[in-house]
Amino acid sequence: MKKTLALAVTVALSTTFAGADQLVIKGSDTLGAKLVPQLAEAYKAENPNTQFNIAAEGSSTGFAALIDQTANIGMASRRAKPTEISAALAKGLDLRPTIVAWDGIAVIVNGSNPIPALTKKQVEQIFTGDIKDWSAVGGAPGKISIYTRNTASGTYADFKELAMSKRDYAGSSQKMAGNEQIVSEVAKNPAGIGYVGLAYLKASGIKVLAVDGKKPDQADVRNKSYPYSRPTFYYTNGSPAGETKAFVDFTLSPRGQKIVEQVGFVPVQ
Amino acid sequence: MKKSTLTTLALAGALVFGGAASSQAQDSGALLDALVRKKVLTSQEAEDVRADLIKESAATNAGKLQLSNSITSLKLYGDVRLRYQYDNKDPQIETPLAGSNYLFSTNDNSTLSALTTANSNKSPWATDAKGFVIATGDVKNAAGKVVYHKGDRLLASNGDPIKGQINPATTGVGAPANGAQRNRERIRLRLAADFQLAGGFFGGVQLQTTQAADSGNQSFGDSSTGAAGFGNYNIYISRAYVGWNANDWLTLVGGKQPNPFYTTDLVWDADINPDGFVEKVDLIKLFGGNGSEVVSYSQDGKQLSSVSTIRSESAYELSLVAGQFVFNDNAEDSFGSGFKTDAWLFNTQLVGSVKVTPGVKVTLAPGYMTYTSGNTTDLNNETAFMTTKSGATVLTNYQYSAVSKNGVLVPVAATRDLSIITAPGDVSFKLCGLKAKVLWDFAYNTQGAQRVEEVYGLQNIQVPVKNASGVVTGYQSAKGTVKPTTRISTTRVSGHESQDDIAWLAGIQLGENKKAGDWSVMANFRQTGLGSVDPNLNDSDFALGQLNMQGVKTGLAYNFTDFCVGAVTYYSAWNLRDDLIGGQATGGQKIASMNGVQILQLDLNVKF
């Protein structure tokens, strides 16, 4: 009973805030850890009455919040699954995507790792556990430590599809809550390997590997010649309106796209 | 306006090239990407189209189906078969054995079976010139009181005299004295799913009517299964297995699975899905060649399987298939050695084939199968051979035990003394533009003599002696020839002959049944020696699964539509030996008690 009451209050407050000056934005850690907070700050500078409530716990949580109608915008680093679209339709909702930036999932290793590049096949073999030792890909002998995102993450699903032929991750892989945790662990572990979005490559102690000869720079991500390129999204219920539309428009505006680039993503335009 | 038009065109294009939105939304991604690359659409417009397609797909019935993310492909299929079956059985009854019972083909068997004989070496009854049953001596009732004197007519309970024929009986009083006919209208339902999973894993499940391992047929109105009075049917799990393609040459499978062997129904009824473990090794690929995947085999097409034949485009194939199956799990703390041991079946086969010319292919599949010696109980096969009746745990008489040649009582294990070399094969070719096949099978039980004498208990055989007209005039045993109506005391002589150890089949097939208008014909001849194969595995249709039989199987099938096949199949079988008496052959579980069996099956099979 208490739980039901709490939920009702939460939904009511969220709806109230959403209907007034508060934007509730939930979902992707890739977008929500850096980019969206900076966009929100910039937007607030011009619209001081607008309050933001941002929760970045993975793309799945963004879709769930949209379907539960507890968020105005769902941040996503992947497309909505048919199951999520079905669930939304069942509630009379229409999940609409807006591409807000392009991202490349970079494969990173510890800065001391001598390996400069991998092939797509090697990446798949490493993350699925077929290859367990660095010596198998030309590195110094030693067991490979794999760091991945957790299952709520859109990047987790995207990487599985883009890089692993939809195979399962190695049983030994360690699941991290966010990109920054992966960067931190790989920077500390000479045998570590992981993947993160472009916005997280400026950290020290890590090295970005070329994949099939391509590194995730802006040009290769935008023209999709980098193999792990992907769009990132705002999802809304139908076409955005009101304050939500204003924030989406701001994100796609030259000023917003400049912030996109500054954070490390690739602008849409 | 321009963008809107382009978006509409792109959506239409995606629908046209990608197929119906309900099933193809996911496949339109490549087309949309191409349109973006050619700058027909912006990325956002492509994303809008993609979202619309998925939304439309999700709104359809198909889109509401949710599958596990681990499934990479799923195939659902099944069939319903309607069958009319006519059986004509001619049981073997010339079987005088030790005991006090005689078989009476009269109008009142119950009266007779309540009486005992006054003369232990002679039937107490005879038929007089007028057809009435009369006593040949004093006949006592169960209390020992003389109720009939010599020459008295036997009276039924209502006082009328009984007419009928007197014959020596098997140990089981009441066996039919004449042929028996039976008509059945039957149905078989099978529902199956094959799935592929990530990482080379795969599996399948199948549900079907009836529990019998060798038949999925449910007779309409069958009171024994509760179907009388329009009762509903049970459904059973006939397959549940998982497998793993470890690499391109090794496949491992565990569970209740399709028969993995290249075989015919001489040895394996095609309805049987064995329980256990299978390893398949593609020897060509193992040693670096370009081999083919060996999945499952069925020469007669009875197996419901999406992959039922060798699949290959290469000229040579060579695979090793090994199976370890749990035939009967026994509790290790049970009484009797046979009950302590699980009955495992081990079967290994080398399957090789070569394309002699582009249109001619030869396949050979030598193999070896053997069991651990275990007892079997509660089998549901149509002609089951078991060691004990359900629930029995004590060895009581010869039906459940055997006497070895030195006179020592030993427990019988139903899976004992089966050590069988098999050698099926075929030559497939084109004849007048039709697919044709000459096929054969061969099985030799190297322990056939022990199987016949010790497991089936044929030490007490008495060979009928016939005159020139074929009339039985007496029975030959170790004690000499005796008259038909004389009961012979237990005398141990060997009942085994070398032909008991061998089974073989040779046949032809012409045509195939894949699409509307297709037809096929087939015919084969076989002999199945008493000790040659396991009666729990062989075809339950030919001679109703009986051993010691020979005969023909012929069939014609026609595709009315791609999915609907009509078929006529006729079996005619008769005794391989006509001198088997007693033991489990004509007594006990009667695994070889038929003089002849004819079966006609009319099928209408609808696949979906």
Side-chain angles (χ1 to χ4, degrees):
Chain A
M1 183 62 189
K2 279 183 178 177
K3 207 171 180 179
T4 307
L5 188 61
L7 185 62
V9 169
T10 304
V11 172
L13 286 175
S14 300
T15 307
T16 303
F17 288 141
D21 293 325
Q22 174 152 350
L23 280 177
V24 181
I25 303 175
K26 295 183 178 178
S28 166
D29 168 76
T30 301
L31 293 178
K34 285 186 177 178
L35 175 61
V36 173
Q38 291 190 29
L39 287 166
E41 284 302 315
Y43 184 82
K44 270 183 74 174
E46 296 176 1
N47 303 276
N49 291 332
T50 303
Q51 300 295 317
F52 283 89
N53 181 350
I54 300 172
E57 295 173 344
S59 299
S60 295
T61 63
F63 292 117
L66 274 179
I67 293 165
D68 291 343
Q69 296 173 269
T70 57
N72 304 95
I73 294 175
M75 302 175 286
S77 59
R78 63 166 171 83
R79 294 184 175 93
K81 297 174 184 173
T83 51
E84 291 161 338
I85 291 176
S86 294
L89 282 173
K91 290 194 172 184
L93 305 176
D94 176 19
L95 298 183
R96 303 303 305 182
T98 301
I99 299 175
V100 294
W102 284 88
D103 190 20
I105 305 176
V107 178
I108 59 169
V109 294
N110 186 275
S112 65
N113 194 317
I115 292 176
L118 292 171
T119 65
K120 281 181 70 177
K121 183 68 178 173
Q122 287 172 327
V123 171
E124 177 182 333
Q125 289 172 318
I126 288 173
F127 280 91
T128 56
D130 291 346
I131 291 177
K132 295 181 172 61
D133 197 286
W134 282 112
S135 60
V137 290
K143 188 181 174 186
I144 300 174
S145 299
I146 302 167
Y147 297 96
T148 77
R149 292 291 312 280
N150 60 30
T151 54
S153 160
T155 308
Y156 177 92
D158 271 350
F159 193 74
K160 198 170 169 179
E161 182 164 336
L162 293 169
M164 297 168 62
S165 305
K166 298 183 180 178
R167 295 172 62 190
D168 283 337
Y169 286 93
S172 61
S173 62
Q174 300 175 64
K175 294 178 173 55
M176 302 286 115
N179 288 283
E180 287 176 343
Q181 286 86 346
I182 291 180
V183 168
S184 172
E185 290 299 322
V186 172
K188 286 188 288 188
N189 185 348
I193 186 170
Y195 55 76
V196 291
L198 293 180
Y200 303 88
L201 300 182
K202 293 170 185 169
S204 60
I206 61 168
K207 183 167 80 176
V208 178
L209 298 183
V211 179
D212 278 356
K214 297 280 187 183
K215 281 201 174 183
D217 58 33
Q218 280 210 5
D220 286 337
V221 167
R222 182 177 284 137
N223 64 26
K224 297 185 183 178
S225 59
Y226 179 67
Y228 309 145
S229 303
R230 59 174 180 167
T232 59
F233 308 94
Y234 286 168
Y235 270 85
T236 54
N237 176 22
S239 297
E243 196 70 26
T244 301
K245 182 177 187 307
F247 183 68
V248 172
D249 289 344
F250 174 77
T251 302
L252 296 175
S253 70
R255 188 162 171 222
Q257 290 295 294
K258 189 171 183 183
I259 294 171
V260 164
E261 188 168 8
Q262 285 169 349
V263 172
F265 289 93
V266 179
V268 174
Q269 306 301 331
Chain B
M1 179 65 186
K2 185 183 176 186
K3 277 191 174 181
S4 173
T5 304
L6 286 173
T7 304
T8 305
L9 284 172
L11 177 58
L15 288 170
V16 170
F17 293 107
S22 60
S23 60
Q24 303 292 336
Q26 301 297 319
D27 298 335
S28 303
L31 174 60
L32 292 171
D33 288 345
L35 292 172
V36 171
R37 278 199 302 275
K38 290 181 180 298
K39 301 191 186 302
V40 176
L41 296 178
T42 66
S43 293
Q44 181 59 51
E45 288 167 344
E47 212 59 49
D48 289 338
V49 172
R50 198 190 311 265
D52 285 337
L53 288 172
I54 295 175
K55 183 182 166 188
E56 288 179 23
S57 170
T60 65
N61 288 336
K64 292 169 187 168
L65 284 174
Q66 307 300 335
L67 298 179
S68 164
N69 288 335
S70 57
I71 290 179
T72 57
S73 75
L74 173 68
K75 181 178 182 181
L76 302 175
Y77 57 103
D79 65 359
V80 175
R81 185 181 67 193
L82 302 177
R83 166 173 287 180
Y84 166 76
Q85 179 165 329
Y86 169 79
D87 303 342
N88 179 57
K89 297 183 287 187
D90 177 18
Q92 178 174 314
I93 58 168
E94 297 172 332
T95 54
L97 279 175
S100 59
N101 296 315
Y102 287 81
L103 180 68
F104 304 95
S105 176
T106 74
N107 55 359
D108 195 341
N109 278 337
S110 60
T111 298
L112 294 164
S113 61
L115 302 173
T116 60
T117 176
N119 183 341
S120 62
N121 289 318
K122 191 175 179 183
S123 169
W125 307 107
T127 305
D128 67 12
K130 294 181 179 179
F132 289 105
V133 176
I134 59 171
T136 59
D138 290 347
V139 176
K140 299 174 183 176
N141 64 12
K145 181 183 177 183
V146 175
V147 292
Y148 289 98
H149 295 283
K150 182 179 181 182
D152 286 351
R153 283 183 177 177
L154 181 62
L155 302 177
S157 55
N158 62 4
D160 293 337
I162 293 173
K163 282 188 173 183
Q165 181 67 40
I166 305 300
N167 291 310
T170 65
T171 52
V173 175
N178 298 309
Q181 292 79 41
R182 189 178 190 190
N183 293 281
R184 283 177 286 181
E185 294 74 31
R186 320 185 84 182
I187 188 170
R188 182 189 67 185
L189 166 67
R190 296 188 292 188
L191 300 171
D194 292 342
F195 52 86
Q196 301 281 334
L197 304 171
F201 288 90
F202 61 90
V205 295
Q206 180 178 293
L207 306 177
Q208 74 173 35
T209 43
T210 79
Q211 194 169 19
D214 50 5
S215 173
N217 294 312
Q218 166 71 51
S219 295
F220 289 147
D222 184 357
S223 57
S224 68
T225 59
F230 302 138
N232 295 328
Y233 310 143
N234 283 323
I235 195 87
Y236 295 90
I237 297 171
S238 51
R239 286 183 194 168
Y241 64 96
V242 292
W244 181 45
N245 292 311
N247 48 49
D248 61 353
W249 55 265
L250 176 63
T251 300
L252 308 173
V253 186
K256 189 166 181 60
Q257 58 192 285
N259 189 332
F261 300 105
Y262 177 98
T263 185
T264 73
D265 59 13
L266 180 76
V267 180
W268 283 91
D269 188 299
D271 285 319
I272 293 176
N273 296 296
D275 312 9
F277 310 95
V278 165
E279 306 82 40
K280 302 173 187 174
V281 179
D282 188 321
L283 296 172
I284 302 292
K285 284 185 176 174
L286 173 62
F287 295 109
N290 183 23
S292 64
E293 183 183 0
V294 178
V295 182
S296 119
Y297 305 97
S298 174
Q299 285 195 344
D300 67 356
K302 280 181 72 176
Q303 282 276 12
L304 180 65
S305 174
S306 56
V307 279
S308 60
T309 56
I310 298 174
R311 300 185 312 191
S312 175
E313 297 302 322
S314 62
Y316 299 94
E317 299 166 9
L318 187 63
S319 297
L320 185 69
V321 184
Q324 306 82 42
F325 305 112
V326 184
F327 188 71
N328 198 127
D329 180 78
N330 287 313
E332 282 73 10
D333 55 356
S334 295
F335 171 82
S337 62
F339 296 98
K340 291 176 180 288
T341 309
D342 292 339
W344 281 76
L345 167 61
F346 300 99
N347 196 354
T348 302
Q349 190 176 53
L350 192 65
V351 185
S353 66
V354 57
K355 285 183 178 172
V356 181
T357 68
V360 179
K361 184 176 178 180
V362 179
T363 300
L364 300 173
Y368 173 73
M369 59 193 294
T370 189
Y371 289 88
T372 56
S373 179
N375 288 344
T376 59
T377 57
D378 299 329
L379 301 187
N380 282 300
N381 300 42
E382 289 206 329
T383 304
F385 172 63
M386 292 172 277
T387 305
T388 72
K389 291 180 178 176
S390 177
T393 55
V394 179
L395 306 180
T396 55
N397 58 42
Y398 82 92
Q399 289 190 22
Y400 312 121
S401 62
V403 181
S404 67
K405 286 177 179 175
N406 59 8
V408 177
L409 196 69
V410 294
V412 169
T415 56
R416 188 177 173 203
D417 297 329
L418 285 168
S419 183
I420 303 170
I421 296 168
T422 55
D426 74 77
V427 178
S428 59
F429 53 94
K430 285 282 182 70
L431 185 65
C432 301
L434 295 171
K435 281 191 175 180
K437 182 184 285 185
V438 174
L439 60 93
W440 61 88
D441 203 348
F442 174 81
Y444 172 65
N445 182 9
T446 61
Q447 296 179 307
Q450 296 96 309
R451 180 79 178 170
V452 167
E453 294 179 6
E454 297 181 8
V455 178
Y456 295 152
L458 290 192
Q459 294 94 338
N460 299 324
I461 190 169
Q462 290 118 33
V463 181
V465 177
K466 299 178 181 178
N467 63 17
S469 302
V471 176
V472 176
T473 58
Y475 292 87
Q476 177 69 48
S477 76
K479 284 192 173 182
T481 302
V482 294
K483 292 182 178 177
T485 54
T486 301
R487 185 167 58 86
I488 303 169
S489 61
T490 52
T491 304
R492 209 163 283 133
V493 294
S494 173
H496 172 257
E497 290 185 2
S498 58
Q499 64 176 322
D500 296 334
D501 307 344
I502 296 171
W504 65 272
L505 174 151
I508 57 170
Q509 290 178 203
L510 179 63
E512 60 182 345
N513 295 97
K514 286 192 171 179
K515 60 182 187 300
D518 281 355
W519 58 269
S520 68
V521 293
M522 57 79 62
N524 63 54
F525 178 86
R526 75 187 74 187
Q527 290 187 336
T528 307
L530 178 63
S532 62
V533 297
D534 182 356
N536 295 316
L537 296 187
N538 67 337
D539 185 20
S540 64
D541 291 326
F542 180 81
L544 296 170
Q546 291 267 310
L547 299 176
N548 185 50
M549 300 299 283
Q550 60 185 326
V552 295
K553 172 183 178 182
T554 60
L556 168 67
Y558 178 76
N559 274 69
F560 297 112
T561 67
D562 290 354
F563 54 84
C564 180
V565 181
V568 180
T569 310
Y570 178 71
Y571 305 79
S572 180
W574 58 93
N575 263 350
L576 185 57
R577 291 174 60 188
D578 62 0
D579 56 355
L580 295 182
I581 302 169
Q584 302 295 335
T586 57
Q589 296 172 42
K590 293 185 170 62
I591 58 167
S593 65
M594 295 293 168
N595 287 327
V597 181
Q598 293 80 41
I599 297 174
L600 175 66
Q601 294 172 338
L602 305 178
D603 293 341
L604 187 69
N605 195 25
V606 176
K607 299 178 181 178
F608 52 87

